[in-house]
Amino acid sequence: MAGHEHHHHHHHFSPCICDLMRLLWSLVVPCVYLSLALTLVLLLVLLGLRMWLRGRRARVGGPAVAFFHPYCHAGGGGERVLWGSLRALMNRYPSVSFAVYTGDQGVTGEQILQGARQRFNITLPRPITFIFLRHRSLVEAGSYPHFTLLGQSVGSMFLGWEALMAFVPDLYVDSMGYAFTLPIFRYLGGCKVASYVHYPTVSTDMLSLIRERNPRFNNADFISRNPVLSAVKVVYYCCFGLLYGLAGSCSHVIMVNSTWTLGHILSLWRSPSRTSIVYPPCDVRAFLDVPLEEEEEVEEGWEELGRELTDEAERAGDTKCHSIVSVGQFRPEKAHRLQIRAFHKLLDRKKEETGARESLRLVLIGGCRNQEDEERVLMLRGLCQELDVADRVDFKLNVPFKELKRELVEATIGLHTMWNEHFGIGVVECMAAGTIVLAHKSGGPKMDIVVPFEGKPTGFLADSEDSFAAAMETILTLSPSARLEIRQNARRSVERFSDQEFDACFLAAMETVMLGLERCF
């Protein structure tokens, strides 16, 4: 009886499955047709949008090139690249007009250009148009407490759309690393697109840290402790990396700032024939007028050079004071906390020496882009109080180039602690100024900058609080003549990072796309 019931249920169940399969099969063809119809409608909408945007393109007086740089009034290395690029292109292509998309509010175009003159010693040869964007908050990390990279990338697409609606250029250059804006300008705006990459949004180093469940980089403790959440985050980053690679590969010209960045961009964007290294412009010539002499004499030489800065002149005569200078924006990845802690350890190491504490000072020079950066400076000041080093640490925010130059020339050590710094303009400036560099043993400083020149050392590398403190102590115990030899060698080695080298390499990379623009007019 039981067997009969079982047979009956099985017999009843089979037609149900068959009916369901038939129903699903009957829906396949309509679904295919519907998908094709929707795809066609989407393509027509995109084509119509592209034609409408092309109709809006300015055709007055020749081709137009626009740079996408939402933080163009900040004082970092990325902004030096922006102004150096514009100056090089303006000098080479007089018939082309230029614009910059910026998210800076409360400043005028003239104030932005004045900032570039003061901070970077760069003056543009002719006027430029600024297009002020209202929604820069869409790309700020603070707007996305979770899924920050995804949020910023989607936000950059909306900000890019606002930029495209405001002005349609012939050539679009992303100079800040917002790769997801590239397909919008290429496929909707019908523009040629180029990109200068300072730092890959996602890198294989990030993935390895997440796989190792290391809380060091962008990895909350509760994620790094949980194998399931870590696995989910690895999948998220891999998918994001794939999308990032697809967006970046839209670029007609790809420029990267270092060997380290090149390796990551080639593995993600997979466009080797369009990719080249263009080292950022470093104003090394501005430091070459300072003679490199043994430290007792250099103060006298500098007094002449810095006569205008009378309020600081007393320091120039103090030959016993060793300043350790750090140049870099007050961003979390610049690792200012590490600098302060390492300096504290250095003072601890030298506490037995009479007057050692009074002879050392740490000077943190950098730009503040927004309120987050200003709050970070307050926290760093708090750390100095906590470690009882506040009297030996100076903060100098958004200083003009002249003061930056004076501080570097007076410094004994140039300190740079960012892990996997993509390049390190501040490191190059320290070397040009005749300061002995102590940088993080990773990224651009390790691979491109603090490398032996003619078989001799050009600086020092470290990777922890203790090793930074030990290296600083080593530098301070060297004889003035030994320090002079390293300083001279370092200065000779950085000539390959000059403004002139940047102009030549940047123009060579952009030549094909720029000549194509000129031919169209």
Side-chain angles (χ1 to χ4, degrees), residues 242-382:
L242 182 67
L243 292 172
Y244 176 64
L246 288 170
S249 63
C250 295
S251 197
H252 294 101
V253 174
I254 303 163
M255 292 165 280
V256 298
N257 66 343
S258 69
T259 306
W260 182 85
T261 309
L262 177 72
H264 289 288
I265 289 300
L266 288 179
S267 69
L268 291 161
W269 292 15
R270 300 183 186 278
S271 305
S273 60
R274 288 174 274 149
T275 308
S276 55
I277 297 179
V278 178
Y279 289 124
C282 306
D283 196 5
V284 295
R285 284 196 176 180
F287 297 99
L288 299 184
D289 56 357
V290 181
L292 285 190
E293 299 160 7
E294 286 195 18
E295 286 139 43
E296 288 76 11
E297 297 164 21
V298 84
E299 308 298 342
E300 196 183 325
W302 175 248
E303 245 174 68
E304 219 174 297
L305 237 115
R307 202 172 283 145
E308 299 137 70
L309 295 152
T310 50
D311 58 322
E312 299 285 338
E314 306 85 47
R315 278 188 194 148
D318 183 6
T319 56
K320 291 179 184 176
C321 183
H322 291 287
S323 67
I324 299 159
V325 171
S326 158
V327 180
Q329 284 183 316
F330 287 98
R331 305 204 304 262
E333 63 270 23
K334 295 293 183 184
H336 288 94
R337 293 175 71 84
L338 170 59
Q339 296 176 1
I340 293 165
R341 290 185 187 280
F343 182 65
H344 172 245
K345 289 196 171 181
L346 172 68
L347 293 180
D348 269 0
R349 283 165 174 261
K350 298 183 86 66
K351 63 185 175 190
E352 303 301 321
E353 296 177 29
T354 311
R357 181 186 173 91
E358 290 68 32
S359 71
L360 295 171
R361 69 185 184 112
L362 175 64
V363 184
L364 304 179
I365 300 174
C368 279
R369 301 165 302 168
N370 50 33
Q371 195 181 338
E372 277 180 60
D373 289 356
E374 285 163 15
E375 286 168 5
R376 200 167 289 115
V377 171
L378 286 175
M379 287 166 67
L380 292 170
R381 287 185 192 274

Side-chain angles (χ1 to χ4, degrees), residues 19 36 79 155 162 166 175 189 196 220 251 290 297 308 316 337 410 439 441 476 497 506:
D19 290 343
L36 287 171
E79 287 67 58
E162 183 191 343
S175 52
Y196 188 98
S251 197
V290 181
E297 297 164 21
E308 299 137 70
R337 293 175 71 84
E410 284 185 358
K441 196 176 182 178
L476 293 169
F497 303 125
F506 183 82

Side-chain angles (χ1 to χ4, degrees), residues 490-505:
R491 176 178 275 188
R492 285 201 305 272
S493 79
V494 296
E495 284 171 15
R496 63 211 155 104
F497 303 125
S498 66
D499 281 331
Q500 293 69 31
E501 279 292 311
F502 170 80
D503 289 357
C505 295

